[in-house]
Amino acid sequence: MSEWTSEWNNEQARVARVTEALHKRIAEYEPAVGEIKSEVVDFRTHFWDDVTVNLSNDDDILETFMSMKQQAQVLSEREHSHRHMLHQLKRMKRLLPSPYFGRIDFQETGTNAAEKLYIGVASFIADDGETFLVYDWRTPIASLYYDFPPGPASFLTPGGDITGQIDLKRQFVIRDAVIKTMFDTGMTIGDDLLQEVLGKGAGSQMQSIVATIQQEQNRIIRNDSSRLLVVQGAAGSGKTSAALQRAAYLLYKHRERLTAEQMVLFSPNPMFNSYVATVLPELGEDNIQQTTFQEYINRRLAQTFEVEDPFDQIEYMLTQHDDPEYDARMAGITFKASARYLHVMRGYRDMLLKDRMKFRGIKFRGRTLLSRESILTQFYHSQSSASLSYRIDELKEWIIIQLRQLERAERKAEWVKDELDYLDQEQYQDAYTRLHKRQQAKNPAFDDAQQEEDLLRQQIVREAFRPIYKKIKALRFVDTKALYRQLFEDNAILAELLGGELPDFWSQVSERTTRLLDEGQLACEDATPYLYLKELIEGFQMNGNIRYVLMDEAQDYSAFQFEFVKRLFPRARMTVLGDFNQAVFAQASDLHEHSGSPLEELYGPDDTAWLHLSRSYRSTKEIVDFTRAMLADGDRIIPFERSGGKPVAVQCNDSNQRDEQLVNDMKALLDEGYTSIAVITKSAAEAELAYERLQPLKNELAPLRLVTKQTPVFEHGLLVIPAYLAKGVEFDAVLIYDASSESYSHESERKLFYTACTRPMHRLRLYSPGQKWTSFMTKLDPQLYEAVRIN
Ligand SMILES: Nc1ncnc2c1ncn2[C@@H]1O[C@H](COP(=O)(O)OP(=O)(O)OP(=O)(O)O)[C@@H](O)[C@H]1O
């Protein structure tokens, strides 16, 4: 028997021992968990049996209270141990099919033997209570596995650095307690396993990368020192994967005080949420909260405005180049997303402290109770140096006092008398009884008709004023819309705040903005600035419960949005991950480190860490070579050495031929065993058209689905999807529906085209329906793709 075979047998025997130990422990736990559960149920049912309820005197009340408290404590302890055991049980069951994926033999400096450490998705300790049969991948010692090849190594513990030597590094693939693959590696993480993982098909759900986390990814996952962590990483470099592993790591590291509900992930769209939803449960953690920025905007503003979403905005950008307002709108979007505009907004707030506030008068039954002028005079009456929101709050109190007086005076009004007369019998009787009861309790001799009428009047006016108080409390007397409008109406304000020149196309930008506001609409680029202004004035809404915020696809957030998220979660640490080369929305932010970056301004340079991911894992080397050549800084991207065919550029005579060819290619890809195939279009309009054209052709193929901004769940299969919705997700094969210069002719669309071409894992095919190829391709070295002409 060769040495390797004997090693393999030894390892297999260990897997069998650990599996048996797991089975044994599970067999012990299962009845115990069941027992505690029935104890808890029993305890709840008989909770009161052991509580002596006696409320006769103070001592008895105290005793009753103590006995209840004791019972509650016992119940809570049992519930806690039930939860804990259940959790353990689940972990052991998860370990069963594959108890670990790695081994390192580590000899700590100063000791004379190496310890064998086996790494898996959870820890498992032997019956002696101290020997780790498996170490959780998140334990400090397990970081050795990800960070070092064999040789000198160290890891950080709360007590300081521990140094030593890794003698052996071994990787396994274990399925159903049988070792399928096993190899020793001289590298950090052997590429063989990565080859195997990446060679498989794209699923409809993202997978955890726990067994093959790369060193540069591990730095992101375990960074817990900075308030803001910014990750700029190439397409397919594992940003989303690292973000989710990081969430699992933090949940483990801070398990005593951090729960999944205290973490939130901002995703680009709801479909993406479903795509990543299984990773944390696969790692044995509860899912963290997931949301989109738009969801928040809608919750706050949809009652006041018809708010445009980013998808409609991008549709405009991609399809309306002929609109005479196009250039002005694009200039407006860029300005409104800039740090410059953020500073304008803050300056505007300071300006409003002295001048130019806008209020709404308070009306009642068509009459003005408090005019906007009187509110304005009151507001500027005090020269307080307090914040704007504090002064608004003071003003609110003042308004309420005024209203109370006006309310009192209103009781004598003629309409109140009319209301009294129109009270129907039942209402009258009801009011009468209630008032009578109340009054008699205070004054047993109460029966005076005048007093009765006064009280009824009081009641009627109070009811009529109730909605006004409600609006005042909601600060509806502040005219935020007029304030936002004023910035675009009065050029002197912006000129003063910018200290000079107005932005490009300003007259068109301001005309468009005011027009839409007057029509009750809010353009996407105005939504966050508008909300920011509202909060600068009224005070910020905050969620202090959230401790970690993760923002994926972060290149598409504006300076405003980052600032906003920071304010919204004042106690949170932020992780921001993105790729500037995939910035498809106009408000994009650069995530590279540079001084003066709005991201650096968020928490300051000392509290901001910048990390880079340069190796790209998703696509074959041929696809990465093709895509990175489209970028100015493409040579910074390092493809993972996995081979496949070159991208194929298919030139057709016309659209009909293109559609036929595309359907034939889909069939061929399905025959090759690929199951996740996406036809990527430039816009939603084009996706709809493609879907209509392809649908009748594809007959015996699997169903073809059209993905729209409303699609809630990501499913694999055959899809037609606009490029900006394919952001963040991946497919086995991608077919670019129209890669001609007719479709992609503007430099501003380069990043969108790049994003679309970086979605496949294995195959990329591009089509032209009889036109010239887009210049994004013609400028590339023709060796990077295979050109095919259909006749
Ligand atoms: N260390 C790793 N081990 C195994 N697979 C990995 C690893 N890192 C990344 N991958 C795989 O590479 C693919 C891309 O990863 P992911 O989607 O996280 O990248 P991304 O940087 O967010 O991409 P993009 O910006 O293009 O959306 C996924 O299939 C992921 O499973």
Side-chain angles (χ1 to χ4, degrees):
M1 192 169 24
S2 76
E3 202 181 320
W4 182 246
T5 314
S6 128
E7 269 296 300
W8 187 297
N9 290 346
N10 288 343
E11 290 290 7
Q12 181 57 59
R14 186 180 190 277
V15 172
R17 281 200 305 280
V18 173
T19 308
E20 196 187 315
L22 278 165
H23 274 302
K24 187 167 154 262
R25 189 78 56 80
I26 289 170
E28 284 161 17
Y29 262 57
E30 255 168 355
V33 170
E35 223 168 83
I36 302 186
K37 186 173 179 195
S38 51
E39 263 182 49
V40 169
V41 173
D42 195 49
F43 211 92
R44 283 208 192 111
T45 326
H46 299 287
F47 185 87
W48 293 102
D49 296 359
D50 293 330
V51 177
T52 12
V53 180
N54 185 348
L55 306 173
S56 325
N57 59 43
D58 285 355
D59 282 350
D60 292 338
I61 291 174
L62 187 65
E63 199 174 314
T64 303
F65 172 72
M66 292 311 287
S67 118
M68 275 171 64
K69 199 170 162 202
Q70 215 170 13
Q71 285 288 91
Q73 239 163 18
V74 178
L75 178 61
S76 143
E77 271 159 28
R78 298 278 157 90
E79 281 176 336
H80 182 263
S81 63
H82 179 247
R83 264 200 310 274
H84 181 68
M85 286 187 84
L86 201 62
H87 200 62
Q88 300 261 65
L89 189 62
K90 275 195 195 149
R91 261 199 263 165
M92 290 187 282
K93 286 189 174 167
R94 248 198 3 268
L95 284 179
L96 262 184
S98 176
Y100 39 82
F101 48 78
R103 165 182 157 188
I104 37 174
D105 294 0
F106 179 66
Q107 183 169 355
E108 197 181 322
T109 313
T111 60
N112 48 20
E115 192 190 346
K116 290 178 190 158
L117 310 164
Y118 286 83
I119 319 284
V121 290
S123 290
F124 181 53
I125 300 174
D127 287 341
D128 64 7
E130 52 187 54
T131 312
F132 273 79
L133 296 176
V134 186
Y135 279 93
D136 192 301
W137 64 280
R138 296 164 290 188
T139 48
I141 200 167
S143 68
L144 285 171
Y145 179 72
Y146 300 113
D147 287 343
F148 296 95
S154 65
F155 66 98
L156 190 65
T157 69
D161 244 357
I162 298 204
T163 57
Q165 170 85 16
I166 296 179
D167 294 340
L168 175 96
K169 191 154 185 179
R170 182 164 286 171
Q171 291 186 266
F172 305 92
V173 176
I174 302 173
R175 297 281 174 259
D176 295 324
V178 175
I179 300 179
K180 298 283 181 201
T181 315
M182 169 179 129
F183 43 82
D184 292 351
T185 171
M187 303 165 59
T188 315
I189 295 289
D191 282 355
D192 305 7
L193 193 56
L194 255 179
Q195 285 283 1
E196 193 171 319
V197 177
L198 296 168
K200 290 198 183 124
S204 57
Q205 307 265 249
M206 177 158 236
Q207 305 289 310
S208 108
I209 57 165
V210 63
T212 45
I213 294 168
Q214 303 292 297
Q215 193 179 4
E216 59 175 9
Q217 295 171 332
N218 199 33
R219 292 215 315 278
I220 295 166
I221 295 167
R222 291 182 189 240
N223 180 305
D224 203 11
S225 54
S226 18
R227 184 84 198 264
L228 170 65
L229 174 62
V230 186
V231 180
Q232 155 67 41
S237 59
K239 295 179 293 295
T240 307
S241 310
L244 294 164
Q245 295 285 155
R246 174 168 167 73
Y249 171 77
L250 292 167
L251 283 169
Y252 176 83
K253 183 173 177 198
H254 303 295
R255 57 196 175 280
E256 304 301 332
R257 54 198 162 89
L258 181 70
T259 63
E261 297 93 69
Q262 292 174 311
M263 302 182 91
V264 61
L265 170 70
F266 278 85
S267 309
N269 57 56
M271 188 182 80
F272 183 87
N273 281 338
S274 89
Y275 175 60
V276 300
T278 47
V279 176
L280 283 166
E282 192 190 309
L283 290 165
E285 297 295 342
D286 292 335
N287 230 332
I288 61 176
Q289 298 196 51
Q290 294 180 4
T291 190
T292 62
F293 196 84
Q294 191 60 24
E295 214 175 288
Y296 182 75
I297 290 282
N298 285 344
R299 202 174 328 139
R300 297 290 312 278
L301 294 175
Q303 281 169 334
T304 319
F305 292 104
E306 194 183 311
V307 189
E308 182 193 41
D309 65 38
F311 307 113
D312 287 347
Q313 186 199 59
I314 196 174
E315 262 320 285
Y316 174 88
M317 271 170 57
L318 298 173
T319 60
Q320 304 297 312
H321 289 279
D322 297 337
D323 180 7
E325 286 191 349
Y326 189 84
D327 291 340
R329 172 138 199 227
M330 296 315 295
I333 294 176
T334 312
F335 174 67
K336 287 169 182 177
S338 67
R340 223 171 143 217
Y341 191 42
L342 180 66
H343 292 136
V344 161
M345 223 40 121
R346 292 189 186 135
Y348 188 39
R349 172 211 37 208
D350 297 341
M351 184 183 265
L352 295 174
L353 278 166
K354 302 186 203 85
D355 198 9
R356 295 197 161 99
M357 262 313 279
K358 298 250 179 216
F359 295 108
R360 288 194 186 93
I362 294 161
K363 290 201 166 147
F364 179 66
R365 298 177 70 87
R367 277 179 292 133
T368 298
L369 285 182
L370 275 177
S371 67
R372 65 177 75 182
E373 292 75 18
S374 63
I375 298 177
L376 196 66
T377 310
Q378 173 61 26
F379 182 73
Y380 287 121
H381 165 77
S382 94
Q383 287 301 314
S384 151
S385 59
S387 72
L388 197 55
S389 59
Y390 183 84
R391 284 178 58 183
I392 295 287
D393 221 49
E394 278 185 336
L395 184 65
K396 177 181 78 184
E397 298 304 322
W398 178 82
I399 294 176
I400 291 176
I401 293 169
Q402 306 310 304
L403 283 178
R404 293 257 184 260
Q405 284 168 12
L406 292 162
E407 183 192 329
R408 201 161 296 131
E410 197 67 27
R411 291 176 196 153
K412 299 200 179 65
E414 201 51 31
W415 69 268
V416 185
K417 174 91 180 74
D418 295 347
E419 291 265 313
L420 265 180
D421 294 345
Y422 285 114
L423 279 182
D424 69 25
Q425 195 56 29
E426 206 175 315
Q427 284 172 306
Y428 190 82
Q429 193 60 40
D430 183 46
Y432 174 83
T433 320
R434 271 192 289 133
L435 287 168
H436 221 70
K437 249 193 210 154
R438 190 145 50 103
Q439 208 56 24
Q440 268 189 337
K442 290 192 212 153
N443 171 13
F446 172 75
D447 63 357
D448 181 73
Q450 183 55 47
Q451 274 195 48
E452 194 179 290
E453 184 182 323
D454 288 351
L455 281 167
L456 280 168
R457 279 173 177 270
Q458 190 177 328
Q459 176 114 337
I460 289 166
V461 177
R462 168 56 47 101
E463 278 308 312
F465 266 57
R466 201 182 294 282
I468 309 184
Y469 287 117
K470 207 169 154 201
K471 284 185 189 159
I472 302 301
K473 285 185 184 144
L475 307 184
R476 294 275 292 279
F477 60 92
V478 180
D479 198 345
T480 316
K481 188 165 154 181
L483 280 168
Y484 193 73
R485 197 180 188 287
Q486 180 169 248
L487 262 179
F488 296 86
E489 210 174 24
D490 186 344
N491 285 349
I493 297 182
L494 196 71
E496 184 181 333
L497 292 170
L498 283 174
E501 240 172 74
L502 292 171
D504 294 345
F505 294 99
W506 187 246
S507 65
Q508 284 129 293
V509 171
S510 50
E511 186 279 322
R512 185 172 196 278
T513 312
T514 49
R515 173 165 39 91
L516 288 182
L517 284 171
D518 294 343
E519 288 167 4
Q521 296 183 45
L522 199 61
C524 180
E525 60 271 27
D526 286 304
T528 315
Y530 182 92
L531 199 55
Y532 187 70
L533 176 66
K534 185 172 160 65
E535 304 225 324
L536 279 176
I537 299 168
E538 298 178 1
F540 278 84
Q541 293 205 0
M542 292 175 194
N543 180 339
N545 187 39
I546 298 293
R547 296 309 166 85
Y548 287 91
V549 173
L550 303 158
M551 298 176 79
D552 202 5
E553 300 289 331
Q555 71 278 1
D556 282 325
Y557 291 82
S558 68
F560 260 104
Q561 290 173 320
F562 287 122
E563 170 69 17
F564 207 87
V565 171
K566 173 192 158 184
R567 293 270 195 167
L568 184 57
F569 305 109
R571 298 179 69 193
R573 283 162 178 262
M574 251 207 246
T575 308
V576 156
L577 311 102
D579 176 11
F580 193 50
N581 287 320
Q582 295 182 63
V584 298
F585 290 88
Q587 76 268 21
S589 295
D590 188 355
L591 304 171
H592 292 96
E593 181 173 11
H594 60 88
S595 61
S597 143
L599 274 166
E600 194 176 76
E601 255 186 46
L602 275 185
Y603 296 99
D606 293 345
D607 253 338
T608 309
W610 306 82
L611 292 175
H612 236 93
L613 288 177
S614 47
R615 208 143 80 122
S616 177
Y617 301 97
R618 173 181 301 123
S619 313
T620 58
K621 180 173 181 324
E622 289 81 356
I623 297 176
V624 177
D625 282 341
F626 172 77
T627 51
R628 69 179 178 153
M630 292 175 206
L631 306 174
D633 61 351
D635 49 3
R636 290 169 64 176
I637 300 169
I638 305 161
F640 176 70
E641 289 291 333
R642 182 171 66 86
S643 253
K646 279 186 190 175
V648 183
V650 187
Q651 182 60 263
C652 306
N653 292 324
D654 56 31
S655 356
N656 288 339
Q657 194 188 43
R658 183 263 323 267
D659 291 347
E660 272 169 34
Q661 182 61 36
L662 194 142
V663 169
N664 287 339
D665 290 346
M666 266 200 238
K667 281 185 195 147
L669 288 164
L670 285 170
D671 288 344
E672 276 186 71
Y674 296 122
T675 52
S676 161
I677 302 171
V679 176
I680 301 190
T681 60
K682 182 174 147 189
S683 63
E686 194 193 357
E688 252 170 66
L689 186 77
Y691 179 69
E692 263 169 41
R693 293 176 60 95
L694 296 173
Q695 185 71 348
L697 290 176
K698 55 124 217 131
N699 45 45
E700 77 271 29
L701 292 180
L704 181 68
R705 280 192 309 268
L706 174 66
V707 176
T708 68
K709 64 178 182 178
Q710 271 106 11
T711 304
V713 177
F714 183 74
E715 290 173 273
H716 74 176
L718 304 184
L719 304 178
V720 181
I721 182 169
Y724 57 85
L725 288 178
K727 232 170 57 131
V729 294
E730 65 193 16
F731 310 94
D732 286 334
V734 163
L735 312 173
I736 304 286
Y737 191 61
D738 185 349
S740 73
S741 55
E742 284 289 297
S743 184
Y744 292 94
S745 54
H746 301 269
E747 182 52 34
S748 59
E749 292 157 356
R750 178 181 292 274
K751 291 178 172 180
L752 186 73
F753 187 69
Y754 171 77
T755 305
C757 293
T758 52
R759 298 307 94 199
M761 293 185 74
H762 309 292
R763 294 301 175 89
L764 174 63
R765 296 178 76 85
L766 307 105
Y767 297 82
S768 165
Q771 279 103 18
K772 279 196 310 200
W773 292 106
T774 167
S775 63
F776 305 148
M777 281 169 69
T778 52
K779 296 213 173 114
L780 303 182
D781 175 354
Q783 297 297 320
L784 291 173
Y785 57 95
E786 183 189 334
V788 173
R789 162 107 232 163
I790 310 289
N791 291 311

